[in-house]
């Protein structure tokens, strides 16, 4: 389990660290990736703008990150 995601992390910082989250954003219909505002919009901003429950959004993000397994031979 990763440490709790900050509600103040920007979309850009989150996707830079965890690019595998891109399909989740697409699945949720969030056009954040590639948006000029991704560099300063936070998860809290996204939840508010798209009428999402912030805690549920963070939980879904955590699930994707926790469910990722590194390729064999990659011990990072």
């Amino acid at each position: 389990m990763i440490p709790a995601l900050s509600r103040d992390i920007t979309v850009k910082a989150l996707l830079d660290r965890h690019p595998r989250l891109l399909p989740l954003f697409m699945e949720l219909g969030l056009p954040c990736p590639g948006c000029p505002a991704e560099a300063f919009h936070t998860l809290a901003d996204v939840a508010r703008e798209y009428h999402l429950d912030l805690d549920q959004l963070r939980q879904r993000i955590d699930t994707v990150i926790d469910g990722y397994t590194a390729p064999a031979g990659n011990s990072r």
Side-chain angles (χ1 to χ4, degrees):
M1 178 103 172
I2 63 169
L5 286 172
S6 168
R7 61 184 279 118
D8 297 322
I9 190 170
T10 64
V11 172
K12 180 168 179 17
L14 182 62
L15 291 173
D16 283 351
R17 287 184 208 157
H18 306 285
R20 63 190 162 274
L21 290 171
L22 182 59
L24 175 63
F25 276 78
M26 294 170 66
E27 176 186 320
L28 294 172
L30 301 173
C32 305
C35 172
E38 78 174 342
F40 59 89
H41 273 182
T42 65
L43 283 183
D45 295 332
V46 170
R48 186 175 40 258
E49 179 73 24
Y50 293 97
H51 309 287
L52 300 171
D53 180 272
L54 178 59
D55 291 330
Q56 287 179 356
L57 177 60
R58 289 166 60 186
Q59 184 176 29
R60 295 214 37 203
I61 290 169
D62 282 343
T63 299
V64 171
I65 293 170
D66 286 345
Y68 176 76
T69 54
N74 189 354
S75 60
R76 292 172 34 174

